[in-house]
Amino acid sequence: MKILIRVVITAVALWVATLVVHGIDVTAATTPRKVGTLVAVAVVFGLINGFLKPIVKTVGCAFYVLTLGLFAFVVNGLLLWLASWAAGKMHLPFHVSGFWAAVWGAIVVGVVSWLLNLFVHDDQD
């Protein structure tokens, strides 16, 4: 159930990014297709973050230290851009048009996800 909630939160955050950031688009014709596309891209983005982000963090540790963590914006943007590329390969109507759109989109997705996660309680015993 927690995974489903996280996917929905990421999908909502991606939707907000499509509204706020010029260059991130969902070109599906109907609302149900847009919702389905956003959920599918949220799953792809989650898988990419789950597998690649720890590797990139480990390899790029020096860059994180040298830039005082600002390199994370670049990494998150590139991972969103990669998710857009993967969505294109799966014929999903989701597109990020460039590096800066990806970076700003990743910032929006991160902030919106953080805000929405404030309302989700972790049940730890």
Side-chain angles (χ1 to χ4, degrees):
M1 189 66 168
K2 287 182 182 181
I3 292 173
L4 182 61
I5 291 170
R6 301 293 181 208
V7 168
V8 170
I9 287 173
T10 304
V12 170
L14 286 167
W15 173 67
V16 171
T18 62
L19 298 175
V20 174
V21 179
H22 179 71
I24 300 179
D25 300 307
V26 176
T27 57
T30 64
T31 301
R33 286 222 35 194
K34 286 182 183 181
V35 170
T37 298
L38 289 170
V39 169
V41 172
V43 170
V44 169
F45 189 49
L47 290 172
I48 288 173
N49 273 329
F51 288 113
L52 291 182
K53 195 169 190 174
I55 296 168
V56 173
K57 277 187 166 182
T58 303
V59 172
C61 183
F63 291 114
Y64 280 93
V65 172
L66 288 173
T67 63
L68 302 174
L70 294 176
F71 187 63
F73 293 123
V74 173
V75 169
N76 291 337
L78 290 174
L79 292 175
L80 181 61
W81 208 4
L82 180 62
S84 169
W85 175 81
K89 291 296 181 184
M90 293 186 294
H91 305 290
L92 294 171
F94 178 82
H95 182 68
V96 177
S97 65
F99 173 75
W100 289 111
V103 170
W104 285 111
I107 290 170
V108 169
V109 168
V111 169
V112 172
S113 295
W114 174 73
L115 287 171
L116 292 175
N117 278 314
L118 291 176
F119 299 104
V120 176
H121 301 288
D122 276 339
D123 295 330
Q124 295 179 353
D125 295 330

